[in-house]
Amino acid sequence: MVGHLGKNEQTPAVYRLKIGSFRVTIISDGYLEADPSFYSAGADRINELAVQAFRKAGPFRMGTVVYVIEADGRRLMVDAGCGPLFGPTSGFLLQNMAFAGITPDSIDAVLITHMHADHIGGLLDEAGAVFPRAAIVVHKDELGYFMGDLAMSRSNDRNRPWLLRARKVPEHYPDIRLFEREQEVFPGVTAFPLPGHTPGHSGFLIESGDEQLFLAGDLVYSPVYSFRHLDENFAFDVDREQALLSRRKGLDMLASERWLMSATHLPFPAVGHVARLGEAFEYIPEDWRHEP
C-alpha cells in the first residue's frame, strides 16, 4: 500500500453498488478532452461555463466509464470504452477490470448504448474480440447506420478509421441481438431508445424490486452545461434537433421517476439524480457508497 501511494497515479477507479439483486460495477476507462470549438454555442461560451464551474478554460475534459452488471449467474457489460483509439488518457478498462477481479472471458453480453468509437473501441484488439464469449446487444437502427452508406458519406479523415473499426465488430462478434423499441433485453434490464446523438442511441434501465438505475449513455455529457443549457451541446450528434428532444425527454423522465442515473461522461463515479430547476434541470451526485 505504501509503495502504491508513492506512485504518481490514483487508485484504480472502480465503484460498486447494489440495485436490488443486481450488483453493478462502474469502471473508469480514463478521460477524453473535447475541443471547445466543437461546442454549439462557441468556444467562448463553453470556456465561460467551465470557469463558472471552477474548471479551466480550454480543452473540455470528460470522463468515460463502462458498466458491468451481475445477477443470476450472468455478467453483462454496457459499452466497452475507448480501447487504444484516443491516446494515453483513456483505454484503462482492462486494467481496471483486472483490479475488480473481472476477466474479459467472463462477459456474457455487451449492451451497446451507441457505436461511437469511445463506446465500442475496446471491443477489438489486434487479435480480434476482446470479450470472446460475449453477444452484442444493440438497436437495429444503430447497427444499420454504422454499417451503411450514410455514415460513410458523413465521415472525414479523422473519424473514418473509427467507423471502419466499428464495421469489423460483426466479423468478430457473430452473435448480434437487435432490439427496435423499448423492451426488456435481459431479465430486469430494459432498453430505452433515445435517438438523435446517433440513430439508435439508447439507454438501459436496471430494475430490481423497488430500486432502479438508468444508464443514459451520451444523453448528457457534463454537469457544467448538459442539464441547465438544454439547447447547447458539443457537435457530435448525427441529428442535433432530435438529440436535443431526446435529452429533454430523457431528463424529464428521470426527474419525474426519481430514478438513480448514470451517464458515460459524467465525473466518476458518475452516479446521481436529476432534479428540476425552473425550465431546466440539475444534476445531484449521489453520496459515495462506502458499502455497496
Side-chain angles (χ1 to χ4, degrees):
M1 179 65 74
V2 173
H4 176 76
L5 292 175
K7 297 178 181 179
N8 186 27
E9 60 185 20
Q10 299 284 17
T11 300
V14 173
Y15 187 74
R16 293 189 174 97
L17 64 161
K18 294 280 288 190
I19 303 296
S21 62
F22 288 96
R23 183 170 80 164
V24 180
T25 304
I26 304 174
I27 303 172
S28 173
D29 190 47
Y31 68 89
L32 305 172
E33 290 185 327
D35 188 323
S37 67
F38 289 175
Y39 193 63
S40 61
D44 289 345
R45 171 63 169 164
I46 191 61
N47 284 334
E48 176 188 18
L49 293 173
V51 171
Q52 289 174 1
F54 303 97
R55 297 188 179 200
K56 294 180 180 179
F60 192 84
R61 182 173 294 188
M62 296 181 282
T64 179
V65 300
V66 172
Y67 311 90
V68 175
I69 306 164
E70 298 174 82
D72 301 325
R74 183 183 293 115
R75 186 171 270 173
L76 311 175
M77 177 180 287
V78 178
D79 290 338
C82 299
L85 303 182
F86 293 89
T89 68
S90 61
F92 298 107
L93 173 62
L94 296 182
Q95 173 184 321
N96 287 337
M97 283 178 63
F99 179 81
I102 301 171
T103 60
D105 63 359
S106 71
I107 302 299
D108 296 300
V110 181
L111 285 58
I112 304 297
T113 63
H114 63 295
M115 295 184 70
H116 277 163
D118 56 322
H119 293 255
I120 67 164
L123 284 176
L124 301 173
D125 61 15
E126 293 180 357
V130 173
F131 308 100
R133 295 181 50 254
I136 299 293
V137 179
V138 64
H139 194 292
K140 179 181 178 181
D141 291 347
E142 189 72 3
L143 188 68
Y145 175 76
F146 277 86
M147 300 299 142
D149 294 338
L150 184 57
M152 183 60 73
S153 70
R154 291 178 171 179
S155 67
N156 54 43
D157 290 343
R158 178 175 177 270
N159 62 32
R160 191 169 300 114
W162 303 340
L163 175 60
L164 293 174
R165 186 183 181 92
R167 292 183 174 212
K168 293 181 180 179
V169 168
E171 174 186 346
H172 297 283
Y173 291 89
D175 185 2
I176 295 183
R177 307 174 189 181
L178 303 177
F179 61 90
E180 300 183 53
R181 60 190 182 279
E182 180 182 323
Q183 66 186 80
E184 191 172 65
V185 292
F186 286 98
V189 181
T190 301
F192 277 72
L194 295 165
H197 182 58
T198 58
H201 176 267
S202 300
F204 294 96
L205 176 66
I206 304 164
E207 187 167 24
S208 177
D210 61 354
E211 296 185 272
Q212 301 86 17
L213 172 64
F214 189 80
L215 307 180
D218 280 6
L219 183 73
V220 291
Y221 289 153
S222 171
V224 170
Y225 74 90
S226 295
F227 298 82
R228 298 189 181 198
H229 306 284
L230 299 177
D231 294 326
E232 301 175 16
N233 203 5
F234 279 92
F236 305 136
D237 297 325
V238 173
D239 183 337
R240 181 178 183 273
E241 294 306 314
Q242 181 62 58
L244 295 178
L245 288 172
S246 285
R247 189 200 293 182
R248 288 179 179 273
K249 174 185 174 183
L251 291 176
D252 183 73
M253 176 183 71
L254 290 168
S256 296
E257 298 290 350
R258 298 178 62 86
W259 292 338
L260 188 65
M261 63 84 66
S262 180
T264 302
H265 299 299
L266 293 176
F268 191 82
V271 181
H273 288 89
V274 177
R276 300 186 191 282
L277 184 68
E279 296 298 315
F281 304 90
E282 66 177 331
Y283 173 63
I284 302 177
E286 185 186 55
D287 289 345
W288 186 275
R289 298 191 185 195
H290 294 275
E291 296 179 356

